[in-house]
């Protein structure tokens, strides 16, 4: 039988861990983990406070010596090896350790000369599987992506890295800060277009958010539905591109070139409409609208052209007026 501390001792351990983490006394937390490493309840409480402190919130933080040592001690506890307590409580330390592995791997890749051993590839893959299967981690990622798309709130470094937004977000921040063109060209090899980078980020975030749920919230769907209607108008009536509500960032997001001939813009708008319409079918289960919309529009065009041909064929030959 493994010794488990009584309730009063557990409360004392919990308070000590919380206080030490607030003071960044990682050695002290490590000593607690070593002392109570065979107690599932004690380690679970310590891990809960480590989770709240978000010790791996950035790759740089994950690579700090004290934090690396702390996670090394945590990995050797009974709870992490073969704990059998409540699965929900057990998921916190395991997901937290997986996040540390994931962030540390990114740091070592970015700084190969740092002297830190890079986690094994299989270890990183296992960490990603744990994170993708953890409900709390997924819910938090979904919330951050939603806030970014609806309110422009910056997502955490983990979400940026996990869903392929990190490089573009760095670039976006550089552009937002007003970095000079020469510095941008020296750093990135070119002067990026702010609208293009922003549109790329939005599309990446939308793809990630839609992969994390069956049906997104209604405000998100309403926002996309407005864009779907704009695309439909552009495909049916290309002259609507000059309407006041057709912004350049919207055109860039959906790959529509304002300077292209009308027939090219029609094809671009129709392709974008069909793609977004297919996403709606997947997200909501509704029937597709694209074939009905463009089939009806082509039918009207064909009728108009045929009527025009008939009127030209049946037009009487008028007499030429003399002087």
């Amino acid at each position: 039988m493994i010794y488990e501390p009584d309730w009063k001792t557990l409360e004392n351990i919990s308070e000590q861990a919380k206080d030490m983490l607030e003071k960044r006394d990682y050695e002290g937390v490590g000593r607690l983990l070593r002392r109570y490493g065979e107690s599932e309840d004690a380690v679970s409480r310590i891990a809960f406070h480590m989770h709240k402190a978000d010790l791996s919130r950035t790759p740089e933080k994950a690579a700090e010596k004290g934090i690396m040592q702390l996670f090394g001690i945590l990995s050797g506890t009974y709870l992490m090896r073969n704990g059998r307590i409540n699965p929900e409580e057990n998921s916190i330390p395991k997901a937290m350790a997986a996040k540390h592995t994931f962030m540390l791997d990114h740091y070592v890749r970015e700084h190969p000369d740092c002297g830190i051993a890079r986690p094994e590839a299989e270890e990183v893959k296992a960490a990603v599987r744990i994170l993708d299967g953890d409900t709390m981690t997924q819910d938090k990622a979904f919330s951050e992506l939603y806030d970014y798309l609806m309110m422009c709130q910056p997502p955490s470094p983990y979400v940026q890295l996990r869903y392929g937004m990190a490089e573009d977000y760095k670039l976006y921040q550089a552009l937002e800060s007003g970095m000079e063109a020469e510095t941008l060209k020296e750093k990135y090899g070119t002067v990026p277009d702010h609208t293009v980078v922003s549109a790329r980020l939005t599309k990446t975030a939308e793809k990630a958010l839609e992969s994390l749920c069956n049906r997104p919230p209604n405000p998100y769907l309403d926002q996309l539905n407005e864009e779907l209607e704009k695309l439909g108008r552009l495909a049916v009536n290309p002259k609507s591109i000059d309407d006041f509500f057709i912004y350049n960032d919207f055109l860039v997001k959906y790959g529509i070139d304002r300077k292209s001939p009308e027939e090219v813009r029609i094809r671009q708008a129709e392709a974008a409409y069909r793609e977004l319409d297919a996403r709606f079918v997947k997200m909501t289960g509704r029937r597709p609208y694209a074939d009905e919309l463009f089939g009806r529009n082509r039918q009207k065009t064909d009728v108009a052209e045929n009527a025009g041909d008939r009127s030209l064929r049946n037009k009487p030959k008028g007499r030429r007026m003399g002087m």
Side-chain angles (χ1 to χ4, degrees):
M1 297 294 292
I2 295 173
Y3 166 73
E4 287 289 351
D6 58 32
W7 180 84
K8 188 174 181 180
T9 305
L10 287 172
E11 285 291 300
N12 186 38
I13 292 168
S14 184
E15 286 298 319
Q16 286 185 66
K18 180 181 176 182
D19 184 60
M20 288 172 178
L21 286 164
E22 286 175 355
K23 296 175 180 177
R24 300 182 182 180
D25 180 9
Y26 304 132
E27 288 186 8
V29 181
R31 286 194 296 272
L32 279 179
L33 283 173
R34 284 195 182 95
R35 182 176 179 183
Y36 297 102
E38 296 301 310
S39 165
E40 294 184 52
D41 289 331
V43 172
S44 178
R45 291 197 177 213
I46 296 169
F48 174 75
H49 290 295
M50 289 172 63
H51 170 72
K52 290 186 70 175
D54 198 8
L55 300 178
S56 304
R57 56 184 169 272
T58 67
E60 291 75 18
K61 192 75 177 169
E64 286 185 15
K65 184 177 179 181
I67 290 176
M68 287 176 59
Q69 290 175 343
L70 187 57
F71 276 97
I73 298 168
L74 177 67
S75 66
T77 61
Y78 181 83
L79 177 65
M80 294 295 286
R81 295 196 309 272
N82 50 5
R84 297 177 184 177
I85 62 170
N86 188 327
E88 290 184 4
E89 293 182 18
N90 202 4
S91 72
I92 291 176
K94 290 190 175 180
M96 184 175 58
K99 182 179 177 182
H100 180 261
T101 299
F102 178 82
M103 299 298 269
L104 183 63
D105 179 66
H106 275 277
Y107 180 84
V108 178
R109 273 194 285 167
E110 288 289 318
H111 306 86
D113 299 327
C114 65
I116 299 172
R118 184 177 172 184
E120 296 290 334
E122 287 303 317
E123 188 182 353
V124 177
K125 288 179 183 177
V128 170
R129 284 196 297 271
I130 291 171
L131 291 168
D132 287 350
D134 182 64
T135 304
M136 288 178 62
T137 303
Q138 294 294 77
D139 288 348
K140 191 171 186 303
F142 179 87
S143 178
E144 289 183 22
L145 289 165
Y146 183 80
D147 289 345
Y148 173 72
L149 290 167
M150 303 301 291
M151 295 174 284
C152 298
Q153 295 289 336
S156 66
Y158 165 73
V159 168
Q160 292 176 35
L161 288 167
R162 179 68 189 89
Y163 297 103
M165 300 172 64
E167 290 303 316
D168 277 338
Y169 200 79
K170 283 181 186 176
L171 191 51
Y172 178 80
Q173 286 182 310
L175 293 166
E176 284 283 292
S177 68
M179 188 179 290
E180 294 183 2
E182 290 183 4
T183 308
L184 284 167
K185 192 170 183 180
E186 182 181 345
K187 191 171 183 180
Y188 298 102
T190 183
V191 180
D193 184 281
H194 187 283
T195 306
V196 172
V197 175
S198 179
R200 201 160 57 215
L201 271 170
T202 299
K203 291 179 75 173
T204 304
E206 286 179 355
K207 182 180 179 181
L209 181 140
E210 290 167 25
S211 73
L212 291 173
C213 65
N214 293 322
R215 180 190 171 99
N218 284 340
Y220 175 80
L221 293 173
D222 291 340
Q223 182 171 286
L224 284 186
N225 190 60
E226 290 179 9
E227 296 183 357
L228 186 70
E229 290 177 356
K230 289 180 185 179
L231 290 170
R233 282 197 290 271
L234 286 170
V236 173
N237 177 22
K239 295 189 185 301
S240 66
I241 198 168
D242 296 321
D243 291 349
F244 72 92
F245 54 81
I246 302 295
Y247 301 110
N248 193 48
D249 55 352
F250 168 78
L251 296 174
V252 170
K253 177 183 176 183
Y254 288 104
I256 301 171
D257 185 0
R258 187 186 289 273
K259 297 178 182 179
S260 295
E262 280 191 3
E263 60 271 16
V264 175
R265 295 204 310 269
I266 289 172
R267 289 198 299 271
Q268 291 170 340
E270 181 177 340
Y273 184 98
R274 287 184 179 278
E275 183 182 344
L276 184 53
D277 185 51
R279 285 164 58 191
F280 264 98
V281 172
K282 185 178 179 181
M283 289 187 290
T284 66
R286 69 157 172 77
R287 62 183 176 83
Y289 296 159
D291 289 339
E292 182 182 345
L293 173 64
F294 297 119
R296 185 171 63 238
N297 184 55
R298 288 196 184 92
Q299 193 175 22
K300 287 180 180 178
T301 304
D302 292 342
V303 169
E305 287 176 353
N306 291 334
D309 290 342
R310 285 196 300 272
S311 67
L312 287 173
R313 286 196 301 269
N314 299 331
K315 187 175 181 180
K317 297 178 182 179
R319 290 185 298 174
R320 184 178 295 173
M321 295 297 290
M323 294 297 291

